[in-house]
Amino acid sequence: MIKTAVIPVAGFGTRMLPASKSVPKEMLPLADKPIIDFIIRECVQAGIEQVVLVSHASKVSLEDYFDCNEELEMQLINSGKKSLLNRVREITPEQVTITSVRQRKVAGLGHAILAAKKVVGNQCFAVLLPDVLVHAENKSTNILAQMINQLEKTASSQVLLEPVDDELVPLYGIAQGVKNFSQNDCFQLSNLIEKPELSEAPSNLAVVGRYVFTPSLWECLENTSTGVGGEVQLTDAIQQLIQEELVYGFKLKGRTMDCGNKQGYYRAFVEQVLSSGGNDRQAFLQFLREVVVKNIKPESADVIGHLIKSF
Ligand code: G1P
């Protein structure tokens, strides 16, 4: 069973500037919880017991968020705010220990993951990129848990893949499978290329931020030199792993939301408010209706208004 996950959080989040100048991008909220909260819940649901954050001096608020804040709790107790108190206490998941290591210098995703080697050791482990939220088609399914099962069945590393539009291909790691791969949900990989030009891309299946690895990845990471963008790329280390043992692509049944860029973040925020229950959702829907009425031509307002109603 995989019990350890590595989450690289050392990056500066330049795509989210200026918001991310003094607040880590992982601490930006989706409705009333920071992005990292969703990622840690995903780990807990998948049975992870140890999370290793690969972090940076400017990111201590992530650890503080999951720590107990007795002063705040006392204040909530004294002012009788019981339901808020419960919500604050729920933040710290009992099932998981969160530790952190420092990356020392920002030198790419592969370099960041390698910084966790001593803590993780010689065991299979998961990697979650905190920019990406994964929504399974079936809401009760945890995709990471499925990937962990698949690793146990096949004794091989798994890389989550999702088809992307042509114009997005140069932004991702892109996968190539052995023959007839598109027919299967899980298939053997023959190649992975980091951020190829569309003309050089072997498919439109993008690596979307969830991986489970055998410990053989460590040696591949150690042997990986700088690649695209002058950074040590995780994709290049996986490409080496493919030469040594079977690695599988795991096709996502669902969709991802990339919160690491502004448009994706805005969408994820709205979606999260709409999927939360209670008064906030109702008030926000009412607000959206008013925005639609004020800003959209009557003919499109019907369509958009109908869409909003369906939430
Ligand atoms: C990283 C990985 C890339 C992957 C992407 C998913 O790129 O290097 O292979 O497809 O995450 O979000 P980044 O977005 O950090 O440039």
Side-chain angles (χ1 to χ4, degrees), residues 5-289:
V6 178
I7 307 182
V9 297
F12 287 126
T14 49
R15 286 179 292 180
M16 295 303 285
L17 281 170
S20 55
K21 183 174 175 236
S22 58
V23 175
K25 67 178 170 41
E26 298 81 8
M27 289 303 291
L28 295 175
L30 295 178
D32 62 356
K33 289 190 289 252
I35 294 170
I36 192 69
D37 190 294
F38 295 89
I39 304 289
I40 297 291
R41 302 292 137 200
E42 183 183 341
C43 288
V44 170
Q45 275 175 11
I48 296 293
E49 291 174 0
Q50 185 190 26
V51 169
V52 184
L53 300 175
V54 181
S55 196
H56 179 269
S58 62
K59 302 271 182 143
V60 283
S61 58
L62 271 81
E63 287 150 69
D64 292 347
Y65 177 74
F66 291 105
D67 197 2
C68 166
N69 183 338
E70 281 190 1
E71 209 182 331
L72 172 64
E73 289 188 15
M74 276 320 289
Q75 206 203 317
L76 293 173
I77 291 168
N78 293 338
S79 51
K81 293 182 174 158
K82 220 172 166 202
S83 76
L84 266 184
L85 176 69
N86 291 337
R87 290 210 66 197
V88 164
R89 284 182 170 162
E90 276 163 22
I91 294 171
T92 311
E94 279 169 20
Q95 305 89 327
V96 77
T97 306
I98 300 172
T99 54
S100 76
V101 294
R102 292 279 168 94
Q103 192 185 350
R104 297 200 182 158
K105 58 175 182 174
V106 177
L109 181 57
H111 182 267
I113 303 305
L114 188 57
K117 181 185 169 191
K118 279 203 181 124
V119 181
V120 177
N122 191 30
Q123 59 170 327
C124 295
F125 63 100
V127 170
L128 294 89
L129 303 191
D131 283 351
V132 183
L133 294 187
V134 176
H135 293 291
E137 209 168 71
N138 175 349
K139 279 189 181 159
S140 59
T141 303
N142 180 299
I143 298 289
L144 182 63
Q146 287 189 334
M147 292 173 75
I148 291 173
N149 276 339
Q150 201 61 26
L151 179 141
E152 279 157 13
K153 270 194 214 150
T154 59
S156 300
S157 300
Q158 311 283 323
V159 178
L160 188 64
L161 301 174
E162 183 185 25
V164 293
D165 293 339
D166 284 357
E167 66 274 19
L168 297 178
V169 162
L171 302 178
Y172 288 93
I174 298 292
Q176 181 172 22
V178 296
K179 268 188 257 162
N180 294 331
F181 67 90
S182 56
Q183 308 306 318
N184 302 319
D185 294 335
C186 189
F187 53 87
Q188 190 190 332
L189 292 180
S190 60
N191 196 5
L192 265 196
I193 307 178
E194 180 68 8
K195 302 191 173 80
E197 292 300 324
L198 183 59
S199 55
E200 281 156 23
S203 76
N204 71 335
L205 282 176
V207 176
V208 284
R210 298 293 181 275
Y211 315 77
V212 288
F213 291 117
T214 64
S216 316
L217 184 79
W218 295 126
E219 204 183 325
C220 299
L221 279 170
E222 279 162 349
N223 294 332
T224 300
S225 40
T226 49
V228 172
E231 298 188 332
V232 178
Q233 297 292 348
L234 176 59
T235 301
D236 294 344
I238 303 171
Q239 174 57 18
Q240 275 187 52
L241 189 63
I242 290 171
Q243 313 306 315
E244 286 165 25
E245 54 183 53
L246 292 181
V247 177
Y248 286 90
F250 189 101
K251 260 195 348 200
L252 172 62
K253 280 195 180 136
R255 68 200 166 87
T256 56
M257 303 215 79
D258 187 352
C259 320
N261 65 71
K262 288 179 190 174
Q263 281 188 23
Y265 173 75
Y266 302 149
R267 282 168 201 232
F269 187 98
V270 170
E271 200 161 298
Q272 191 51 39
V273 179
L274 291 178
S275 65
S276 65
N279 295 341
D280 286 351
R281 175 177 183 274
Q282 286 311 322
F284 192 67
L285 272 174
Q286 183 54 33
F287 163 73
L288 284 183
R289 284 188 196 107

